Amino acid sequence: MTAPTTPQAEPVPIADYAVLGDGRTAALVSLRGSVDWLCLPGFDSASCFAALLGTPEHGRWLLTVPDATEVTREYSGDSFVLETTYRSPTGTAHVREAMPLGDGRADLVRRIECTEGEVTVCHEWTVRLGYGDIEPWVTHVTDDDGTEALRAIAGPDALLLRGDRLPHPSDHHHEDEFTLRAGESVELALTWIPSWAPVPEQLTVPDRLDATRIAWGLWARASDYEGSYREAVVRSLLVLRLLTDNETGGIVAAPTTSLPEEFGGGRNWDYRYCWLRDAAMTLEALLEHGYRDEATEWRDWLLRAVAGDPSDLQIMYRVDGGRDLPERELPHLPGYAGSRPVRIGNAAVGQVQNDVLGEVMCALAAARDCGLADSADSWSLQRHLVTDLIGHWREPDRGIWEVRGDPQHFTHSKVMAWAALDRAVRAVETHGLEGPVDKWRRERDAIHADVLAHAWDAERGTFVQAYGVTHVDAALLAMASVGFLPPDDPRLRSTIDAIRADLEIAPGLLRRYPTDQTDDGVGGDEHAFLACSFWLADALARTGDPDGAEKVLDVLVGLTNDVGLLAEQYDPAGGRMAGNMPQALSHLALVRAVHSHDVARQEQA
């Protein structure tokens, strides 16, 4: 491996990134036109551009107007076709770029046009495979149409760059600088292929941009949502679809790894995998907006991924359903803002988290309620998983926050185990499915009684994070969303008040838990967790306070960046996003909180 390179003194703010995606993988492109992160051909493939976690030497694709004094951007309608406008002292340029949909390829296309005066354009193409560690062999090649291209090749991977003009080799990079005048344009297309494959035909860039914009727009219009916070909700739904693999149906938590929860610290994790919990909650968000096909795709993915002995259920899987996610560190990368280690894989895959089946059963119950009947295989799987849960819900676990300290009896885990049994009972009672419903009712009631006996702190008047402690965590807010207690139960409201008192670090912004009182086995601190903050709005709405929910939503929706994206966390003191980006959990929590707010408003009317 190459030696670590000193990170840039001032890294690009996480909020300055937009995302492009093709339903198989995603790219992060900065406000100034640098593609600093891209894994090809899939979300969990090794990156070919990794400047996000280091420097330009670790790979990037830059197309920019370097002397621009103003840069603005937006997505073209309800799509992931990004349009960026550069205004310089001498002219204006417009860039359109996207990862095309529906062509069965792995491409990224970019088109820059001068619309006024003249502009100087800087183009740099630095490919570094293997997460920035492998410098490929770059040669000129010619396709069957006689078009020249640059091909970067190393091992099984090859990248082709074609366009109206190609950059020139310069000290292990490829660079170009040129002038465009009004009406002139340059088109560029990057394509990944297996290194042994022939050069594919060239793309027609404007056509692919237009077709991709239309395809995303048609998907977005299927929801026909016109409620509150429409722009944020639709963009969030689009993000959830972008993070769904269109071939396997797997839903990744984020397209990035190791963007820090604490700048300069070690809370850096790889989220490019499919957490059952996050994916199940994503499914519920999509179902609430009419996306039934996605529910079927994910259910089929689930059946394949967890096939086998129910006791072997994992909390996460690879996009293709693979089980092997060994965690390792990449010492050659200095990390975003010097945040090390950079990790790939995730050791939490081996943890026992007793809440996971609850989220899965809630999602599958929502699908049933929307009219998606269970297949014989899907209901058989659920029965076996519930039977296995009955055998171990009384045991301690690592919980939703994947603590690396000692297992505990986490209240949220018990509540979600209750939810799993509750949805199984409802499947029999409401939908006529077969199962040992009397046994399930007894176990459901036993969990409920156990939580009330051991998780309620009468002195503080709140439920607590785990049996035997006195502090709270934000996961307790799920008690309202899953119906563990009636919405008017005063214990819910007093628990919400305790969570705000202990974990709210700025108006509407919650930490997950007190890091000084929770043995998470990691150390350090973190910022406000955006999903938890949306859970607060959701809980307020569900317990009869839509005004309070709206105040929280106004704060949180206002934190989205200029193209409507959210990372995992937010640092209110520094006014910056933190953690992996864009984060499915943040966006699905936004969608569901707004839905609960809208329902509460309707009930109030």
Side-chain angles (χ1 to χ4, degrees):
M1 289 188 173
T2 56
T5 305
T6 302
Q8 294 172 298
E10 292 293 334
V12 175
I14 292 172
D16 276 9
Y17 284 101
V19 67
L20 312 174
D22 62 2
R24 294 299 309 283
T25 190
L28 264 63
V29 54
S30 73
L31 180 64
R32 289 279 176 170
S34 183
V35 178
D36 287 344
W37 182 254
L38 176 59
C39 300
L40 289 170
F43 287 110
D44 54 7
S45 301
S47 67
C48 57
F49 302 129
L52 179 69
L53 301 177
T55 75
E57 293 297 322
H58 296 105
R60 69 172 181 175
W61 185 15
L62 176 68
L63 183 67
T64 193
V65 176
D67 63 345
T69 55
E70 181 184 357
V71 183
T72 58
R73 64 184 178 180
E74 62 182 357
Y75 287 120
S76 179
D78 294 332
S79 82
F80 285 103
V81 176
L82 185 64
E83 299 187 346
T84 305
T85 300
Y86 295 89
R87 294 180 176 85
S88 77
T90 58
T92 302
H94 187 67
V95 174
R96 296 180 73 210
E97 55 194 327
M99 298 191 74
L101 293 176
D103 59 8
R105 296 166 43 155
D107 302 295
L108 197 164
V109 298
R110 315 181 82 176
R111 184 178 190 273
I112 184 167
E113 178 182 6
C114 180
T115 57
E116 181 182 348
E118 65 177 35
V119 294
T120 298
V121 178
C122 177
H123 182 203
E124 178 195 322
W125 191 64
T126 302
V127 177
R128 297 291 185 267
L129 299 169
Y131 299 104
D133 197 31
I134 300 172
E135 183 176 344
W137 185 257
V138 182
T139 59
H140 273 83
V141 296
T142 304
D143 64 20
D144 292 340
D145 296 327
T147 302
E148 285 195 351
L150 292 176
R151 179 169 67 178
I153 187 170
D157 301 297
L159 291 174
L160 292 170
L161 179 65
R162 286 180 284 201
D164 295 327
R165 57 182 295 155
L166 297 176
H168 314 291
S170 175
D171 191 24
H172 304 279
H173 304 265
H174 282 74
E175 300 174 346
D176 191 16
E177 186 172 290
F178 53 92
T179 299
L180 288 179
R181 295 172 178 81
E184 297 179 340
S185 64
V186 167
E187 297 173 3
L188 299 161
L190 175 72
T191 302
W192 176 92
I193 57 172
S195 58
W196 56 87
V199 175
E201 65 177 322
Q202 190 170 8
L203 295 175
T204 305
V205 172
D207 289 348
R208 296 310 303 148
L209 288 167
D210 290 341
T212 298
R213 176 182 55 80
I214 292 169
W216 280 117
L218 288 172
W219 186 88
R221 282 196 290 277
S223 76
D224 197 28
Y225 178 70
E226 295 296 339
S228 61
Y229 306 98
R230 181 193 179 279
E231 185 176 347
V233 168
V234 172
R235 178 55 54 189
S236 293
L237 290 168
L238 283 162
V239 169
L240 297 178
R241 182 55 187 167
L242 179 142
L243 297 177
T244 303
D245 185 277
N246 60 19
E247 183 174 6
T248 69
I251 304 171
V252 299
T256 56
T257 180
S258 298
L259 288 178
E261 297 173 5
E262 180 185 25
F263 295 98
R267 291 174 174 264
N268 316 312
W269 314 109
D270 192 349
Y271 280 4
R272 299 171 300 142
Y273 306 111
C274 304
W275 271 255
L276 295 187
R277 177 192 303 112
D278 297 32
M281 289 191 284
T282 295
L283 189 65
E284 290 186 84
L286 292 171
L287 282 168
E288 288 171 349
H289 290 270
Y291 290 105
R292 294 159 56 97
D293 290 344
E294 286 70 19
T296 302
E297 291 174 8
W298 182 77
R299 189 176 64 188
D300 291 344
W301 175 88
L302 177 70
L303 287 169
R304 296 190 303 270
V306 307
D309 190 331
S311 64
D312 294 332
L313 180 73
Q314 295 185 175
I315 64 164
M316 72 180 86
Y317 297 83
R318 300 186 74 90
V319 176
D320 62 2
R323 293 170 172 261
D324 191 20
L325 288 75
E327 183 177 303
R328 63 187 179 95
E329 299 177 2
L330 301 180
H332 66 278
L333 285 172
Y336 181 90
S339 305
R340 302 181 69 186
V342 171
R343 295 181 173 93
I344 58 172
N346 201 305
V349 67
Q351 290 187 355
V352 173
Q353 298 175 14
N354 290 333
D355 69 295
V356 170
L357 185 58
E359 281 93 4
V360 170
M361 292 296 289
C362 286
L364 295 175
R368 275 192 294 275
D369 292 342
C370 289
L372 294 178
D374 283 280
S375 66
D377 285 344
S378 69
W379 179 240
S380 176
L381 171 67
Q382 292 168 68
R383 286 186 56 171
H384 281 84
L385 291 173
V386 168
T387 297
D388 182 70
L389 177 66
I390 288 172
H392 64 80
W393 70 261
R394 292 175 176 82
E395 300 170 2
D397 72 331
R398 305 283 182 172
I400 185 175
W401 307 130
E402 301 180 349
V403 299
R404 299 191 177 198
D406 292 335
Q408 298 183 58
H409 291 281
F410 287 105
T411 303
H412 174 263
S413 294
K414 309 295 186 186
V415 168
M416 296 311 300
W418 172 90
L421 270 296
D422 181 71
R423 273 45 174 190
V425 169
R426 290 192 201 177
V428 176
E429 294 178 341
T430 304
H431 296 279
L433 297 173
E434 293 185 0
V437 68
D438 291 336
K439 180 179 180 180
W440 290 347
R441 286 195 197 99
R442 287 194 300 271
E443 288 293 329
R444 178 188 64 179
D445 294 346
I447 299 172
H448 199 275
D450 194 69
V451 171
L452 296 184
H454 298 102
W456 175 254
D457 185 328
E459 184 175 343
R460 288 200 64 194
T462 182
F463 288 99
V464 293
Q465 181 187 42
Y467 294 1
V469 305
T470 58
H471 59 271
V472 298
D473 79 337
L476 296 169
L477 294 166
M479 285 182 158
S481 63
V482 302
F484 184 81
L485 291 172
D488 59 353
D489 192 301
R491 289 171 293 186
L492 282 180
R493 197 51 196 259
S494 63
T495 298
I496 294 171
D497 291 342
I499 289 170
R500 298 194 79 166
D502 290 4
L503 301 178
E504 192 169 24
I505 59 176
L509 290 169
L510 299 183
R511 293 185 296 160
R512 293 185 295 175
Y513 52 81
T515 54
D516 59 342
Q517 298 180 67
T518 301
D519 179 19
D520 59 16
V522 182
D525 208 346
E526 59 180 33
H527 302 292
F529 200 82
L530 290 174
C532 294
S533 305
F534 283 112
W535 294 349
L536 172 62
D538 187 277
L540 290 170
R542 290 176 185 270
T543 55
D545 185 9
D547 291 337
E550 189 165 312
K551 289 179 182 178
V552 174
L553 285 171
D554 286 345
V555 170
L556 299 178
V557 172
L559 299 180
T560 59
N561 73 356
D562 57 326
V563 288
L565 304 182
L566 290 168
E568 179 184 23
Q569 300 186 14
Y570 187 79
D571 170 16
R576 56 184 177 175
M577 291 188 188
N580 286 304
M581 165 84 167
Q583 180 80 1
L585 192 59
S586 299
H587 283 280
L588 72 89
L590 182 156
V591 173
R592 303 208 68 201
V594 172
H595 177 77
S596 295
H597 165 267
D598 289 353
V599 170
R601 282 285 186 228
Q602 292 167 6
E603 293 175 347
Q604 191 182 57

